[in-house]
């Protein structure tokens, strides 16, 4: 089958690749759309994703598609069903699975390699989507499910102040989730000034360019007494370090952006201590896929504003290298799966 295959650092190509094995509990899905994730770019640059990467491997894990075959033991799906798949499979019998932390499973594996014609995830990872949800919008399910987990960890209460660092596609979803969660002030810290109108449309109440403005001063001047939640959605050394500075007293800082293991942030424990910060990291999407589908199906997310480009697989290698559209928002890759 045709797929975008990662062969090694800075080497991804459209190639012929063997189809994934079809187990008796698996659902074969013709992929319609698959989003480009920050982790795909991380992998392209020779770093790990949510797991180590062993090339050659097909990239992409944010897939929507149509069921084209089902294994003999599959009970809930039939040919023609419109679906999305959670890429993270867990074993259900290890210590972490048995204690409700399926995303930390010791035997976890990725079961969606979505820049391909077909994926064959186990039935347990597949979710039906309503007819009202387009295949394009459905491809946002996985990144939204991860964002929901991050927002859950932030524990935003109605009326709280939330500061979001970086407004790529994840930052945009975080703005929406902060609005839906009832935040009174939603502050976006983002150096690309052109993103301000979209930030405001999605729910931001204050947009700050950190390259020209002193973030803490602008927040103070706006009459905001305390920033209770900071969600870091970039993963660079300085944006992570700055997140701790933006956080108010007693604040929760959620580190969502994927960091560079070779360039970790400097952590000033004393500053954090003085503010009694709660610092959390957010890892993948435990039990949040259905909630993401629910939000997307009921038009709670401005999908058409977040999706900035739909491209063919042939364009993916260049995009991974240049991030031309990725820097503006979500890029979807159009695969061959079609609705009847
Ligand atoms: Zn992703
Ligand atoms: Zn497990």
């Amino acid at each position: 089958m045709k797929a975008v295959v990662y062969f090694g650092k800075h080497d991804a190509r459209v190639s012929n690749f063997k189809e994934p094995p079809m187990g008796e509990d698996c659902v074969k899905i013709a992929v319609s759309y698959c989003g480009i994730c920050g982790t795909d770019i991380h992998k392209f640059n020779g770093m790990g994703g949510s797991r180590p990467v062993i090339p050659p491997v097909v990239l992409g894990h944010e897939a929507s598609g149509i069921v084209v075959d089902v294994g003999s033991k599959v009970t809930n799906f039939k040919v023609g069903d419109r679906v999305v798949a959670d890429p993270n499979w867990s074993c259900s019998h290890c210590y972490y699975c048995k204690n409700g932390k399926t995303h930390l499973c010791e035997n976890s594996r990725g079961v969606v390699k979505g820049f391909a014609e077909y994926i064959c995830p186990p039935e347990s990872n597949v979710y039906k989507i309503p007819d009202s949800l387009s295949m394009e919008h459905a491809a946002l399910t996985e990144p939204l499910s991860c964002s929901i987990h991050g927002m859950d960890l932030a524990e935003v209460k109605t009326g709280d102040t939330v500061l979001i660092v970086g407004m790529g596609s994840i930052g945009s979803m975080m703005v929406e989730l902060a609005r839906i969660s009832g935040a009174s002030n939603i502050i976006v810290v983002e150096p690309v000034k052109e993103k301000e109108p979209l930030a405001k449309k999605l729910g931001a109440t204050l947009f700050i360019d950190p390259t020209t403005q002193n973030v803490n001063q602008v927040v103070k001047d706006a009459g905001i007494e305390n920033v209770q939640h900071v969600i870091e959605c970039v993963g660079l050394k300085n944006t992570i370090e700055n997140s701790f500075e933006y956080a108010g007293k007693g604040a929760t800082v959620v580190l969502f952006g994927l960091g560079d293991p070779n360039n970790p942030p400097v952590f000033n424990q004393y500053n954090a201590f003085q503010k009694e910060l709660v610092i959390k990291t957010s890892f993948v999407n435990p039990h949040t896929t259905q909630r993401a589908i629910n939000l997307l199906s009921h038009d709670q997310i401005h999908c058409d504003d977040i999706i900035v480009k739909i491209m063919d697989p042939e364009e993916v290698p260049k995009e991974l290298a240049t991030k031309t559209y990725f820097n503006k928002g979500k890029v979807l890759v159009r695969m061959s799966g079609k609705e009847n």
Side-chain angles (χ1 to χ4, degrees), residues 90-97 102 105-107:
S90 52
C91 76
S92 78
H93 57 72
C94 74
Y95 171 86
Y96 297 100
C97 283
T102 51
C105 174
E106 288 183 334
N107 306 303

Side-chain angles (χ1 to χ4, degrees), residues 36-40 61-62 142-143 146 330:
I36 296 181
C37 179
T39 57
D40 293 314
H61 57 265
E62 305 177 351
E142 195 272 347
C146 293
K330 181 54 81 179

